């Protein structure tokens, strides 16, 4: 029996189809046992940092994440929700058994009373809502969303705010910052709720340092990871450390000490106690002034004469590799202040003008402490020099801009500087250090100064050399202070800008990063340092060309598919017509 050519072609086609189906099935079967992932984004958006991988791998029990960013969301918040889901999925690849999550829409109920009860419960758990005003065709509506999550672990719960907005408002830039911090916020929260040890950090008191409310924002931020308290030395050798019977050296009570804007001199005993705290491995974050600007005179007379501030710690800082100079800095790259200028009608006019005595300083290099943070706002800061030490090295963290100048002691500080031509383009001292990290082994500043018998020094537990440790120095005490409204008894976030009515500066991130680094939490700042760029659409064009864009997205793929299918059919028909 003769087999037709058509039957042969049909059998060959069916055979190829069967082989193709079998191949796909085999690939799917093998793929169910192996997982291959490739992150093709330039910023490695879908790749976890090593710190996060280690954190997820080390989980001892189930961590459950309830995310309340779900439902009918605007495009910006939908990107944040998608980013959170992608992050959780990447974490589950590492440990799917001990990391679980659920997305919940708190506004899903049609009953208003039920929704309000859910909202109230979320507020009690520590989450904050965001009110979004939606613009429709000829109407406006308000949408309440909860861009946050609740993490539970072994009976404990912890709220995490995903949208980093100080004004409970949202825009593309806010969402972009939130996406950048998403991995840090989630990893930090998981680490906090699963950690069994919390390092101890103390703010020093007794020399006119900043009041508790003036550092409350930083205290709250550090309190998420550390036990934060306040301590006063008062000449007591046991204030920062203890000497146990039989031990050769003292043991510190705290892991780190913060010295925030003292205004009076340290006694010799207090200096000794701080020095021995460092010698026993303690970390210190210094935010101190070298000049007294006499602000009362500046407020009343519009000018003042800044004079050196003697804190008695110059020898300490010199021994640790740093000198804060008795001068003040002017910088063309500066923050604005609001001043009443010439009368406008019957009333003075309030203007916002750049004030060169308040530099906005940027990162010097790519150190983890300063990488990917906003400009840090300083007020009446001094320049710094680093001192070469054989056993320790210094790293400059923050500097002024190219257009800065040093004013030597004494310095006339005048509000009139806002209207002056300072000629900073040519007459300048560029890139002056204002924040320095020193790390290594330090020699005691009292090593050659104590006239005491060896037996007494041994009894005290005096130590001449420290183990490897680190310190951060900032030549401005105001850098660490959050704005305070004394009349209302409240405070604003560290880095808050009064004119903008929002947090715009990176002061909080700088000091949190510095403390993370000092306490060897380099994993946290390695996560914070990563940057994800959000590619934004034009909102005006979306609104004006909405119909055309929707039609193009729906109709165009169908047309392309039909055209492609028609072209393939014609080519196939022509091919077999020639063969026939």
């Amino acid at each position: 029996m003769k087999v037709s050519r058509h039957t042969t072609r049909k059998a060959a086609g069916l055979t190829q189809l069967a082989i193709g189906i079998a191949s796909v099935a085999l690939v799917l079967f093998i793929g169910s046992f192996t997982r291959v992932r490739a992150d093709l984004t330039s910023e490695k958006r879908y790749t976890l940092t090593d710190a996060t991988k280690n954190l997820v791998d080390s989980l001892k029990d189930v961590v459950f994440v309830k995310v309340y960013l779900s439902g009918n969301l605007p495009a910006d918040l939908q990107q944040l929700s998608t980013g959170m889901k992608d992050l959780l999925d990447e974490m589950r690849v590492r440990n799917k058994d001990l990391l679980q999550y659920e997305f919940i829409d708190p506004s899903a109920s049609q009953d208003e009373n039920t929704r309000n009860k859910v909202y109230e419960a979320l507020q009690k758990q520590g989450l904050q809502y965001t009110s979004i005003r939606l613009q429709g065709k000829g109407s406006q509506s308000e949408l309440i969303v909860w861009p946050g999550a609740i993490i539970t672990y072994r009976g404990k719960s912890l709220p995490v705010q995903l949208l980093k907005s100080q004004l409970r408002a949202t825009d593309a830039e806010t969402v972009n910052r939130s996406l950048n911090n998403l991995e840090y916020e989630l990893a930090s929260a998981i680490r906090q709720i699963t950690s069994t040890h919390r390092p101890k950090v103390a703010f020093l008191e007794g020399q006119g340092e900043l009041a508790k409310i003036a550092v409350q924002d930083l205290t709250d931020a550090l309190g998420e990871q550390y036990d934060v308290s306040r301590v006063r030395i008062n000449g007591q050798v046991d204030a920062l450390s203890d000497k146990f019977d039989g031990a050769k050296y003292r043991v510190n009570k705290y892991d780190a000490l913060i010295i925030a804007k003292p205004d009076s001199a340290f006694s010799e005993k207090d200096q000794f106690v701080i020095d021995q705290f460092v010698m026993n491995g303690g970390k210190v974050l210094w935010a101190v002034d070298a000049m007294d600007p006499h602000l009362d005179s500046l407020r009343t007379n519009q000018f003042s004469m800044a004079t050196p501030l003697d804190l008695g710690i110059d020898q300490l800082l010199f021994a640790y590799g740093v000198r804060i100079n008795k001068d003040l800095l002017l910088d063309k790259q500066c923050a604005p202040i609001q001043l009443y200028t010439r009368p406008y009608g019957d009333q003075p006019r309030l203007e916002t003008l750049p004030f060169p005595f308040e530099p906005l300083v940027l990162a010097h290099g790519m150190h983890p402490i300063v990488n990917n943070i906003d400009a840090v706002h300083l007020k009446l800061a001094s320049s710094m020099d680093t001192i070469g030490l054989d056993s320790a090295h210094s790293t400059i963290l923050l500097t002024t801009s190219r257009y800065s100048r040093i004013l030597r002691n004494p310095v006339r500080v005048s509000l009139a500087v806002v209207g002056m031509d300072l000629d900073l383009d040519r007459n300048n001292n560029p890139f002056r250090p204002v924040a320095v990290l020193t790390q290594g082994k330090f020699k005691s500043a009292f090593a050659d100064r104590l006239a005491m018998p060896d037996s007494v020094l041994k009894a005290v537990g005096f130590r001449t050399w420290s183990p490897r440790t680190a310190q951060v120095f900032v030549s401005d005490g105001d850098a660490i202070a959050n704005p305070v409204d004394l009349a209302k008894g409240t405070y604003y976030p560290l880095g808050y800008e009064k004119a903008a009515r929002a947090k715009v500066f990176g002061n909080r991130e700088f000091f949190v990063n510095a403390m993370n680094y000092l306490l060897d939490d380099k994993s946290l700042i390695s996560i914070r340092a990563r940057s994800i760029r959000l590619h934004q659409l034009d909102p005006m064009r979306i609104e004006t060309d909405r119909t055309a864009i929707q039609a193009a997205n729906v109709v165009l793929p169908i047309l392309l598919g039909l055209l492609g299918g028609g072209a393939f059919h014609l080519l196939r028909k022509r091919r077999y017509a020639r063969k026939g």
Side-chain angles (χ1 to χ4, degrees):
M1 182 176 66
K2 185 178 180 180
V3 179
S4 67
R5 188 177 300 174
H6 176 72
T7 303
T8 303
R9 287 202 301 268
K10 185 175 181 181
L14 291 174
T15 302
Q16 290 179 352
L17 177 63
I19 293 174
I21 295 174
S23 299
V24 172
L26 180 62
V27 170
L28 292 176
F29 178 75
I30 296 174
S32 64
F33 297 97
T34 60
R35 190 179 183 96
V36 179
R37 307 173 66 82
D39 187 352
L40 303 180
T41 59
S42 59
E43 63 271 20
K44 298 300 178 184
R45 179 180 302 185
Y46 305 104
T47 301
L48 299 177
T49 62
D50 291 339
T52 303
K53 292 176 183 177
N54 294 335
L55 175 66
V56 176
D57 291 343
S58 64
L59 293 178
K60 304 298 183 184
D61 207 338
V62 175
V63 172
F64 194 85
V65 184
K66 288 185 179 180
V67 185
Y68 293 92
L69 193 58
S70 183
N72 186 20
L73 301 172
D76 290 333
L77 288 180
Q78 185 60 54
Q79 284 184 303
L80 185 61
S81 177
T82 303
M84 183 65 171
K85 186 177 186 304
D86 291 338
L87 175 61
L88 289 167
D89 285 338
E90 291 298 319
M91 288 182 168
R92 278 180 54 80
V93 170
R94 305 288 305 186
N95 196 340
K96 65 179 181 180
D97 294 328
L98 297 184
L99 184 65
Q100 302 173 13
Y101 71 86
E102 177 186 10
F103 276 73
I104 300 172
D105 181 6
S107 303
S109 175
Q110 299 296 323
D111 181 57
E112 184 177 356
N113 291 331
T114 302
R115 290 199 306 270
N116 289 337
K117 289 180 180 179
V118 173
Y119 295 164
E120 184 179 354
L122 293 179
Q123 278 191 312
K124 287 182 178 179
Q125 293 182 80
L127 290 185
Q128 296 179 353
Y129 69 89
T130 294
S131 176
I132 302 175
R133 185 167 295 176
L134 301 177
Q135 186 75 33
K137 293 184 177 180
S139 63
Q140 289 185 349
S141 60
E142 186 180 26
L143 177 66
I144 302 296
V145 296
W146 296 81
I150 301 293
I151 300 177
T152 57
Y153 177 79
R154 291 182 175 178
K156 299 183 293 183
S157 63
L158 182 69
V160 182
Q161 203 67 26
L162 304 180
L163 185 66
K164 292 302 174 181
S165 172
Q166 299 299 324
L167 303 178
R168 292 190 180 183
T170 179
D171 55 29
E173 189 60 32
T174 301
V175 173
N176 192 23
R177 289 196 300 269
S178 300
L179 274 173
N180 276 326
N181 287 319
L182 204 56
E183 185 178 346
Y184 171 82
E185 296 295 339
L186 185 57
S188 177
I190 292 176
R191 180 177 177 176
Q192 179 183 345
I193 200 171
T194 58
S195 178
T196 57
H197 170 70
R198 287 168 60 90
K200 296 181 179 179
V201 178
F203 282 87
L204 187 64
E205 293 181 328
Q207 290 76 32
E209 288 86 358
L210 293 171
K212 184 177 181 179
I213 192 173
V215 292
Q216 190 60 55
D217 188 60
L218 181 60
T219 301
D220 294 340
L222 294 177
E224 296 177 359
Q225 306 164 38
Y226 313 118
D227 290 333
V228 184
S229 59
R230 300 178 73 85
V231 64
R232 187 181 295 261
I233 299 178
N234 283 346
Q236 302 298 314
V237 71
D238 295 332
L240 303 180
S241 60
D242 292 314
K243 177 68 165 61
F244 297 105
D245 293 339
K248 185 176 181 180
Y249 298 122
R250 308 186 67 83
V251 178
N252 288 337
K253 296 179 179 179
Y254 306 96
D255 297 279
L257 185 67
I258 300 176
I259 301 177
K261 194 178 171 61
D263 63 9
S264 57
F266 288 75
S267 67
E268 283 283 323
K269 289 184 178 180
D270 287 3
Q271 291 182 54
F272 176 82
V273 172
I274 295 173
D275 177 78
Q276 288 303 292
F277 175 78
V278 175
M279 292 305 105
N280 285 287
K283 316 297 186 356
V284 184
L285 196 162
W286 305 77
V288 296
D289 295 325
M291 300 285 286
D292 184 355
H294 302 286
L295 293 180
D296 291 338
S297 178
L298 181 64
R299 294 188 186 99
T300 56
N301 302 324
Q302 305 296 299
F303 75 93
S304 67
M305 294 301 296
T307 56
L309 182 62
D310 184 13
L311 298 176
I313 57 174
D314 291 346
Q315 286 185 294
L316 274 183
L317 302 189
F318 192 87
Y320 305 148
V322 167
R323 178 173 56 234
I324 302 179
N325 299 311
K326 307 297 183 181
D327 57 34
L328 289 181
L329 292 165
L330 288 176
D331 200 329
K332 189 175 183 179
Q333 181 177 280
C334 57
I337 62 170
Q338 292 183 318
L339 295 174
Y340 284 101
T341 58
R342 60 186 181 276
Y344 181 74
D346 294 331
Q347 297 292 330
R349 184 169 63 181
L350 184 64
E351 290 192 69
T352 301
L353 300 169
F355 191 46
F357 279 106
E358 297 189 7
L360 295 180
V361 295
L362 297 173
H364 181 85
M366 298 293 290
H367 193 276
I369 292 179
V370 292
N371 189 29
N372 196 34
I373 68 171
D374 294 322
V376 176
H377 181 197
L378 305 183
K379 297 180 180 179
L380 300 166
S382 300
S383 66
M384 301 176 67
D385 293 325
T386 57
I387 311 300
L389 300 177
D390 294 334
S391 57
H393 68 277
S394 299
T395 303
I396 297 174
L397 300 175
L398 298 172
T399 67
T400 58
S401 74
R402 180 184 299 275
Y403 308 109
S404 59
R405 183 192 303 168
I406 295 174
L407 301 181
R408 305 294 179 184
N409 164 56
V411 180
R412 177 185 170 90
V413 182
S414 174
L415 297 179
V417 72
V418 298
M420 295 180 181
D421 182 9
L422 302 174
D423 195 25
L424 294 176
D425 294 341
R426 291 174 294 178
N427 183 14
N428 55 42
N429 307 103
F431 307 119
R432 302 308 304 168
V434 292
V436 172
L437 164 72
T438 61
Q439 48 191 340
K441 296 181 179 180
F442 300 99
K443 186 178 181 180
S444 170
F446 290 84
D448 304 317
R449 294 165 53 189
L450 295 176
M452 297 181 184
D454 291 341
S455 58
V456 175
L457 295 177
K458 185 177 180 180
V460 173
F462 177 75
R463 194 166 186 167
T464 305
W465 284 91
S466 76
R468 287 195 61 84
T469 185
Q471 302 181 69
V472 170
F473 304 86
V474 181
S475 61
D476 175 36
D478 291 302
I480 202 171
N482 52 250
V484 175
D485 189 334
L486 294 177
K488 297 180 180 179
T490 187
Y491 63 94
Y492 297 94
L494 181 56
Y496 181 87
E497 169 54 46
K498 184 177 180 181
R501 297 183 179 180
K503 179 189 177 299
V504 297
F505 303 125
N507 295 52
R508 179 203 290 161
E509 289 74 20
F510 171 78
F511 286 107
V512 171
N513 284 357
M515 189 55 62
N516 289 161
Y517 190 89
L518 291 177
L519 294 177
D520 295 325
D521 290 341
K522 300 180 183 65
S523 57
L524 289 179
I525 53 179
S526 70
I527 300 172
R528 186 193 284 274
R530 74 180 307 181
S531 178
I532 297 174
R533 188 163 56 120
L534 187 63
H535 300 281
Q536 299 296 331
L537 301 176
D538 186 348
M540 293 299 296
R541 187 176 178 186
I542 291 175
E543 189 63 32
T544 56
D545 301 336
R546 178 183 294 272
T547 303
I549 293 173
Q550 289 175 337
N553 278 278
V554 174
V555 177
L556 191 59
I558 298 175
L559 290 177
L560 290 175
L562 292 175
L563 289 174
F568 179 76
H569 176 73
L570 291 175
L571 290 174
R572 181 182 176 88
K573 185 176 181 180
R574 181 177 299 179
R575 175 186 175 187
Y576 286 110
R578 280 201 301 267
K579 288 184 177 181

